[in-house]
């Protein structure tokens, strides 16, 4: 049936929302469209590759942590920082490759951290945002991450913090 091998399969039943399994019948799901408003695609895929057979709580408050974990895995993959041990290096490098569907970038992408994005955004008034984003010299990936972090900050962080 699958001429090129089996597809990658990750089940969302391993994610918890509060204390319940994520399921449409419970009405406690987070659509991928929502996740794409606060996280880059590869970060979402990275979340799914972490401990794929163990239950984990999916709380949007953790978006900055997930992105920081992804960034750390990326730096380990490219040898910019050391993993705690060989097993961690193996697991994080494998998960990083899976997040890019085995086609990761050839060189370490320059990225601003999600946490730094949040700090920047908190200092920019809403009415100055467009001017700020257009006048700064951030690359397109950083501008995208700033926009994602801004959306998270405005729509989710206040509900949890």
């Amino acid at each position: 049936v699958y001429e090129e091998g089996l597809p990658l399969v990750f089940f969302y039943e391993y994610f918890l929302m509060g204390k319940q399994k994520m399921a449409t019948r419970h009405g406690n799901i987070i659509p991928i469209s929502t996740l794409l408003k606060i996280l880059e695609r590869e970060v979402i895929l990275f979340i799914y590759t972490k401990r794929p057979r163990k239950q984990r709580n999916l709380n949007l408050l953790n978006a900055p942590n997930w992105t920081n974990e992804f960034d750390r895995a990326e730096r380990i993959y490219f040898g910019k920082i050391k993993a705690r041990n060989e097993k961690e290096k193996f697991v994080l490098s494998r998960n990083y490759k899976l997040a890019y569907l085995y086609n990761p970038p050839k060189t370490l992408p320059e990225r601003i951290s999600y946490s730094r994005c949040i700090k920047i955004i908190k200092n920019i008034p809403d009415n100055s945002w467009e001017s700020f984003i257009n006048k700064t010299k951030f690359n397109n990936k950083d501008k995208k991450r700033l926009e994602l972090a801004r959306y998270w900050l405005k729509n989710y962080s206040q509900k949890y913090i």
Side-chain angles (χ1 to χ4, degrees), residues 39-40 42-44 46-47 50 63-82 92-93 95-96 99-100 105 108-117 141-142 145-146 148-149:
L39 299 166
E40 291 109 332
E42 56 270 17
V43 175
I44 296 168
F46 182 77
I47 294 166
K50 284 181 57 185
N65 296 339
W66 297 329
T67 305
N68 292 339
E69 288 176 32
F70 172 82
D71 290 351
R72 181 172 177 273
E74 185 169 65
R75 290 191 304 276
I76 288 171
Y77 177 80
F78 285 102
K80 298 298 179 183
I81 63 172
K82 293 210 180 274
L92 290 179
S93 293
N95 293 354
Y96 180 77
Y100 280 101
L108 177 67
E110 289 186 36
R111 295 185 198 270
I112 187 172
S113 77
Y114 206 90
S115 300
R116 183 152 185 233
C117 289
K141 281 186 180 261
D142 287 345
R145 188 170 270 190
L146 280 160
L148 295 169

Side-chain angles (χ1 to χ4, degrees), residues 53-107:
R53 296 182 187 217
K54 292 186 180 177
Q55 289 184 335
R56 291 177 291 129
N57 198 357
L58 190 61
N59 184 331
L60 294 180
L61 178 61
N62 293 324
N65 296 339
W66 297 329
T67 305
N68 292 339
E69 288 176 32
F70 172 82
D71 290 351
R72 181 172 177 273
E74 185 169 65
R75 290 191 304 276
I76 288 171
Y77 177 80
F78 285 102
K80 298 298 179 183
I81 63 172
K82 293 210 180 274
R84 291 180 195 105
N85 54 51
E86 285 302 311
K87 182 179 179 184
E88 182 187 52
K89 180 180 179 181
F90 172 79
V91 170
L92 290 179
S93 293
R94 180 195 61 208
N95 293 354
Y96 180 77
K97 287 190 277 189
L98 277 169
Y100 280 101
L101 304 175
Y102 292 110
N103 192 21
K106 303 287 184 228
T107 59

Side-chain angles (χ1 to χ4, degrees), residues 15-30:
F15 289 105
L16 301 176
M17 297 290 296
K19 295 187 185 215
Q20 287 186 318
K21 287 184 179 180
M22 187 166 31
T24 53
R25 70 179 177 274
H26 296 302
N28 64 347
I29 61 165
I30 299 175

